[in-house]
Amino acid sequence: MRSAINAQIREELDSAYLYLGLSAYMDGLNLRGCAHWLRMQWQEEIQHALKFLDFLLQRNCEVELKALAAPAFSAKTPLEIFELVLAHECHITACIHELYALAVVEHDYASQTLLQWFITEQLEEEQSARDIIDDLRLAGDSGASLLLLDRELAARQAED
Ligand code: FEO
């Protein structure tokens, strides 16, 4: 379980790094609201990594930080970018479910409690990405609608 949680810390930091890259890319398209939303997401992923890291420390387990790869993506349009976000979140959900299954096999009740928080969080993360994708599909080629959505995404606040 310790090793699997260490691997998950890297997954969360990888997510953060990917979202930071996507945020910078969106800023380059002058979609500052999308860039802001992705930067907030970057911040959340760092918090997720810390949640796992603090859990290991609390249990007196060794933390092994692993190397991160540079984020690489071929997505270009806002729709493609948020489809990538959703696909990435689905991947993270699968990782969390695998961790939970392992915690059940190992009768690790403390990990199960922690992971239940993440299971709920993943539902929200996938839903947020899906909502933005739906809005982008509705906007289609309308620059005005895209601008409106961009302004909406600029309002995202950091979570406590
Ligand atoms: Fe930490 Fe977006 O999953």
Side-chain angles (χ1 to χ4, degrees):
M1 202 67 222
R2 183 192 65 81
S3 160
I5 290 179
N6 270 302
Q8 189 61 29
I9 291 172
R10 193 187 65 79
E11 289 282 356
E12 300 293 344
L13 291 174
D14 256 345
S15 306
Y17 214 21
L18 172 64
Y19 296 147
L20 189 61
L22 294 178
S23 172
Y25 175 78
M26 287 299 222
D27 195 272
L29 296 183
N30 290 322
L31 289 167
R32 303 245 150 73
C34 292
H36 168 79
W37 191 95
L38 286 158
R39 193 180 282 223
M40 291 291 103
Q41 194 63 27
W42 161 74
Q43 200 169 303
E44 256 194 34
E45 301 304 347
I46 297 286
Q47 284 167 2
H48 292 172
L50 289 175
K51 213 171 171 75
F52 279 118
L53 188 144
D54 286 340
F55 179 74
L56 286 182
L57 293 177
Q58 190 181 22
R59 300 181 85 189
N60 209 23
C61 292
E62 191 187 347
V63 170
E64 287 174 71
L65 293 180
K66 310 195 187 290
L68 298 179
F73 52 91
S74 56
K76 292 273 181 279
T77 66
L79 179 59
E80 287 169 350
I81 295 285
F82 280 97
E83 282 172 342
L84 174 59
V85 170
L86 176 59
H88 188 76
E89 287 305 327
C90 290
H91 162 69
I92 296 295
T93 299
C95 293
I96 297 288
H97 289 178
E98 268 181 41
L99 272 174
Y100 191 85
L102 182 61
V104 169
V105 167
E106 295 197 353
H107 301 286
D108 184 340
Y109 303 111
S111 291
Q112 286 175 40
T113 302
L114 173 77
L115 289 163
Q116 273 163 10
W117 183 90
F118 276 97
I119 289 169
T120 306
E121 175 72 4
Q122 283 310 119
L123 283 173
E124 287 171 17
E125 300 240 312
E126 286 185 22
Q127 181 72 57
S128 303
R130 269 194 203 100
D131 286 348
I132 297 170
I133 289 169
D134 287 347
D135 287 348
L136 284 167
R137 287 200 176 124
L138 274 175
D141 294 331
S142 161
S145 299
L146 181 58
L147 203 61
L148 210 61
L149 176 61
D150 191 60
R151 291 215 174 125
E152 220 176 90
L153 295 182
R156 180 177 179 181
Q157 306 276 327
E159 282 193 7
D160 290 339

